[in-house]
């Protein structure tokens, strides 16, 4: 026993007796209707004096490989970076630390998952803990069986992560599927072992392996996510994950790679047997003692039951490593067979992304065409309006030249002769004043070709009575030349 083991404080474990206790199983039909507990919201206790309202990239990469913000982001707008650069489609899930949304990027048109922290940064240490997740996620983002992180940024005291979009979590997938074939379970186990191998090769442990943190893609491939609790092996100050999945040695302060193996084993037990895992109590202790439910022997095959029991060994030193599990005959044969299909999977992913980009650009092209056609229509209408307006102004100016202001306001006699048609007189030529008529006579004398019309007009006036009743005002239309009577007080 080392000195480090002596200084550790061991927690007492209760005596477990073999009673008539039995495990409960999930009811797939009633899971969708189960009520969820209300969400707890905490008051903000931390106010930084230098809170920035603009988005800033969070990265631990070098200056050459660091991601940048989108070019369509305008910091002067009141909308956040998330609202400007993404179109929110639906809410995919919610955890204790954040919410995950399915979004479409306005930049490239592809679908992504954006995780937004639910709580504000309460302190500087709390902010650093959240940023560690970005650092760990960037280290494993390039791996095939880990969720890819494209960009992370902080804005208005919140952390945002733009990640690869997966179909759903394994918890949701199991809930929708009535039966999980055992061949698919072996495939899921291989995916998760390959994801753990990348962490364990760097002496890192995940500490939070569970169905909610395992995502499944459209191709049916499982990927490991949520690296918020990743820490170095044998680190003294580490945080445990969900109590339903933690290994028993974590309660004694022993953080090792074997803890991830236990969590993976109990996850496969839950997946294969549709088991309702307890969070504490006697049944919880039985699982940590290696006592599996009796029903699991009839549900699982002998080979799968054997490997799960091996992974859930109470003694963490007797549990297999990731390399030992990958050498297991059934898993090794599946790995060799899958290597021939990885290229096909990459081609499918490339084809799907190409189709999404093409659809997005086609929508942008149609929108641009609609905007262009609408602008052209408005331009044509404005040209027609300006042309008609110029014709109207030209007609008004010509009418104003024919009739002066004095002529429009001059009183005229009311012709009493029944032989005179007033409409013909008004429509043929406007009624002129005395001075205007005298000028017209002088002009008509010099131009004999136009004397006939004026003589005809003078003949009309000569047949009118000398005494007439004057009217107060006569108005003429500038467009048609017709006389409009207004404010008439005729006593005839």
């Amino acid at each position: 026993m080392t000195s480090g083991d002596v200084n550790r404080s061991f927690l007492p474990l209760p005596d477990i007796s073999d009673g008539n206790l039995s495990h409960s199983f999930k009811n797939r039909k009633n899971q969708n209707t189960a009520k969820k507990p209300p969400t707890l919201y905490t008051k903000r206790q931390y106010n930084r004096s230098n809170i920035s309202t603009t988005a800033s990239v969070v990265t631990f990469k070098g200056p050459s490989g660091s991601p940048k913000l989108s070019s369509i982001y305008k910091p002067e707008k009141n909308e956040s970076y998330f609202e400007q650069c993404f179109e929110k489609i639906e809410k995919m899930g919610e955890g204790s630390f954040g919410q995950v949304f399915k979004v479409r990027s306005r930049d490239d048109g592809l679908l992504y998952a954006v995780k937004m922290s639910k709580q504000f940064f309460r302190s500087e240490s709390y902010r650093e803990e959240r940023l560690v997740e970005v650092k760990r996620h960037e280290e494993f983002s390039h791996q095939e069986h880990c969720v890819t992180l494209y960009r992370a940024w902080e804005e208005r005291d919140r952390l945002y992560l733009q990640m690869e979009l997966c179909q759903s979590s394994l918890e949701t997938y199991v809930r929708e599927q009535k039966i999980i074939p055992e061949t698919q379970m072996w495939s899921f186990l291989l995916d998760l072992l390959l994801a753990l191998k990348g962490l364990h090769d760097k002496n890192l442990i995940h500490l939070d392996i569970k169905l909610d943190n395992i995502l499944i893609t459209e191709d049916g491939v499982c990927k490991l996510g949520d690296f918020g609790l990743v820490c170095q092996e044998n680190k003294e100050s580490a945080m445990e994950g969900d109590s339903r999945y933690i290994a028993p040695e974590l309660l004694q302060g022993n953080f090792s790679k074997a803890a991830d193996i236990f969590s993976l084993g109990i996850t496969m037990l839950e997946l294969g047997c549709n088991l309702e895992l307890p969070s504490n109590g006697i049944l919880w202790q039985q699982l940590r003692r290696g006592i599996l439910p009796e029903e699991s022997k009839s549900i699982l095959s002998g080979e799968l039951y054997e490997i799960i029991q091996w992974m859930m060994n109470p003694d963490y030193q007797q549990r297999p490593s990731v390399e030992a599990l990958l050498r297991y005959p059934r898993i090794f044969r599946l790995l060799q067979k899958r290597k021939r299909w990885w290229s096909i999977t990459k081609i499918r992913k490339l084809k799907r992304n190409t189709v999404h980009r093409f659809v997005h650009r086609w929508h942008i092209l149609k929108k641009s065409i609609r905007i262009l056609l609408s602008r052209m229509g408005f331009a044509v209408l404005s040209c027609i309006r300006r042309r008609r307006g110029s014709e109207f102004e030209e007609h008004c100016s010509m009418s104003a030249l024919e009739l002066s202001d004095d002529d429009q306001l001059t009183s005229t006699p009311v012709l009493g002769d029944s032989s005179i048609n007033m409409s013909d007189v008004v429509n043929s030529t406007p009624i002129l004043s005395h001075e205007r008529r005298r000028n017209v006579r002088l002009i008509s004398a010099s131009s004999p070709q136009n004397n006939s019309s004026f003589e005809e007009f003078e003949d009309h006036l000569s047949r009118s009575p000398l005494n007439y009743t004057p009217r107060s005002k006569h108005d003429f239309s500038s467009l048609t030349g017709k006389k409009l009577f207004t404010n008439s007080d005729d006593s005839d």
Side-chain angles (χ1 to χ4, degrees):
M1 181 179 295
T2 62
S3 60
D5 296 333
V6 174
N7 295 331
R8 290 172 182 167
S9 59
F10 292 90
L11 299 178
L13 298 177
D15 186 15
I16 303 175
S17 59
D18 298 333
N20 294 326
L21 298 175
S22 61
H23 291 270
S24 60
F25 296 88
K26 298 178 182 179
N27 188 1
R28 300 184 190 274
K29 297 181 180 180
N30 297 333
Q31 276 186 349
N32 293 333
T33 60
K35 295 183 178 180
K36 296 181 179 180
T39 306
L40 298 178
Y41 294 95
T42 57
K43 294 183 179 180
R44 185 176 179 180
Q45 302 175 354
Y46 168 60
N47 293 320
R48 288 189 296 164
S49 58
N50 56 348
I51 295 177
S52 177
T53 57
T54 59
S56 59
V57 177
V58 177
T59 181
F60 294 86
K61 297 181 180 180
S64 59
S66 60
K68 299 180 181 179
L69 296 177
S70 176
S71 58
I72 63 177
Y73 171 60
K74 305 299 180 183
E76 61 272 8
K77 292 186 178 180
N78 294 328
E79 297 178 344
S80 63
Y81 180 86
F82 177 67
E83 295 171 344
Q84 292 185 36
C85 302
F86 299 97
E87 176 188 355
K88 188 188 300 184
I89 299 177
E90 63 178 351
K91 182 178 179 180
M92 299 183 62
E94 181 177 355
S96 57
F97 294 103
Q99 301 173 343
V100 181
F101 297 94
K102 179 182 179 181
V103 299
R104 182 183 298 277
S105 174
R106 304 183 193 272
D107 199 1
D108 55 10
L110 298 181
L111 298 175
Y112 296 97
V114 173
K115 180 180 179 182
M116 180 182 67
S117 61
K118 186 186 300 182
Q119 298 177 351
F120 294 100
F121 295 149
R122 296 172 294 185
S123 62
E124 194 63 31
S125 60
Y126 181 83
R127 174 177 174 270
E128 292 177 358
E129 291 176 1
R130 300 278 71 81
L131 298 186
V132 168
E133 179 181 0
V134 180
K135 182 179 180 181
R136 298 305 185 193
H137 211 149
E138 286 181 343
E139 294 180 6
F140 309 106
S141 180
H142 62 280
Q143 294 190 8
E144 182 69 24
H145 295 279
C146 293
V147 179
T148 306
L149 176 66
Y150 294 99
R151 185 184 291 110
W153 71 94
E154 59 176 336
E155 183 180 12
R156 300 173 184 178
D157 240 7
R158 290 180 186 269
L159 179 64
Y160 297 83
L161 282 78
Q162 179 185 350
M163 302 178 295
E164 172 189 4
L165 178 66
C166 297
Q167 183 178 357
S168 63
S169 65
L170 196 56
E171 173 71 25
T172 306
Y173 181 80
V174 172
R175 206 177 283 172
E176 295 174 353
Q177 302 294 326
K178 295 182 179 180
I179 298 175
I180 303 296
E182 189 165 319
T183 55
Q184 194 174 14
M185 289 186 58
W186 284 103
S187 179
F188 290 167
L189 179 59
L190 177 59
D191 293 336
L192 297 175
L193 287 175
L194 293 175
L196 281 179
K197 187 177 185 303
L199 274 77
H200 290 183
D201 289 345
K202 297 184 178 181
N203 292 325
L204 297 174
I205 51 179
H206 191 276
L207 292 179
D208 199 15
I209 297 177
K210 58 181 180 179
L211 293 182
D212 287 332
N213 293 337
I214 300 172
L215 305 178
I216 183 169
T217 64
E218 296 180 357
D219 300 324
V221 179
C222 280
K223 293 195 173 186
L224 190 60
D226 198 345
F227 299 90
L229 300 181
V230 174
C231 67
Q232 294 285 342
E233 187 180 11
N234 293 325
K235 185 178 181 180
E236 296 182 358
S237 59
M239 295 179 60
E240 302 90 352
D242 197 327
S243 62
R244 298 174 298 172
Y245 300 88
I246 63 173
E249 67 271 10
L250 295 182
L251 300 178
Q252 313 300 327
N254 190 353
F255 296 89
S256 63
K257 300 175 184 177
D260 287 341
I261 301 298
F262 181 89
S263 299
L264 181 58
I266 198 171
T267 300
M268 298 305 298
L269 179 66
E270 178 188 13
L271 182 63
C273 300
N274 194 27
L275 188 66
E276 188 74 34
L277 295 179
S279 57
N280 50 39
I282 302 299
L283 297 177
W284 185 91
Q285 294 288 346
Q286 285 183 352
L287 292 175
R288 272 70 190 168
R289 292 281 298 271
I291 303 175
L292 304 185
E294 292 294 333
E295 295 85 351
S296 61
K297 295 181 180 180
S298 59
I299 297 175
L300 304 175
S301 63
E303 196 173 17
L304 187 58
Y305 181 85
E306 179 185 353
I307 196 171
I308 290 177
Q309 196 173 27
W310 188 21
M311 296 168 67
M312 293 180 61
N313 195 309
D315 187 2
Y316 68 94
Q317 296 179 353
Q318 300 297 326
R319 293 177 200 153
S321 62
V322 174
E323 290 78 6
L325 290 171
L326 290 175
R327 291 193 300 266
Y328 193 81
R330 178 73 179 265
I331 299 176
F332 182 77
R333 290 195 301 269
L334 182 60
L335 179 59
Q336 296 299 321
K337 183 179 179 181
R338 179 178 289 184
K339 287 181 179 180
R340 297 191 293 268
W341 292 93
W342 275 349
S343 59
I344 298 177
T345 303
K346 292 181 180 179
I347 292 173
R348 288 178 180 176
K349 184 177 180 180
L350 179 62
K351 179 181 177 181
R352 186 166 55 249
N353 291 340
T354 304
V355 171
H356 288 167
R357 286 193 177 95
F358 176 77
V359 171
H360 176 67
R361 291 178 181 178
W362 174 247
H363 286 308
I364 292 177
L365 179 61
K366 290 196 299 184
K367 185 178 180 180
S368 302
I369 292 174
R370 288 197 299 267
I371 294 174
L372 179 61
L373 292 177
S374 62
R375 290 181 177 177
M376 290 176 61
F378 282 120
V380 171
L381 290 176
S382 60
C383 291
I384 293 174
R385 289 177 180 176
R386 284 196 296 269
R387 183 175 180 181
R388 289 183 176 179
S390 61
E391 291 179 356
F392 176 78
E393 292 176 357
E394 183 179 359
H395 194 75
C396 291
S397 62
M398 293 176 62
S399 301
L401 291 174
E402 294 177 1
L403 297 175
S404 62
D405 295 338
D406 298 334
D407 297 331
Q408 295 179 5
L409 300 178
T410 303
S411 300
T412 58
V414 177
L415 303 179
D417 193 352
S418 60
S419 63
I420 298 176
N421 191 351
M422 289 296 297
S423 61
D424 295 338
V425 176
V426 174
N427 292 328
S428 60
T429 182
I431 300 176
L432 307 178
S433 63
H434 178 70
E435 296 179 358
R436 186 74 171 178
R437 288 198 302 271
R438 187 179 61 183
N439 296 332
V440 168
R441 291 192 191 98
L442 296 176
I443 296 173
S444 60
S446 62
S447 56
Q449 66 273 14
N450 296 330
N451 287 341
S452 59
S453 60
F454 290 106
E455 290 176 357
E456 198 176 282
F457 176 71
E458 289 178 353
D459 183 51
H460 284 301
L461 293 178
S462 63
R463 287 155 49 184
S464 62
L466 296 177
N467 298 326
Y468 59 90
T469 305
R471 297 181 180 272
S472 60
K473 184 184 291 185
H474 296 283
D475 193 10
F476 295 89
S477 173
S478 62
L479 295 177
T480 62
K482 295 183 179 180
K483 182 174 69 172
L484 302 177
F485 297 91
T486 59
N487 300 327
S488 177
D489 52 356
D490 189 4
S491 60
D492 294 342

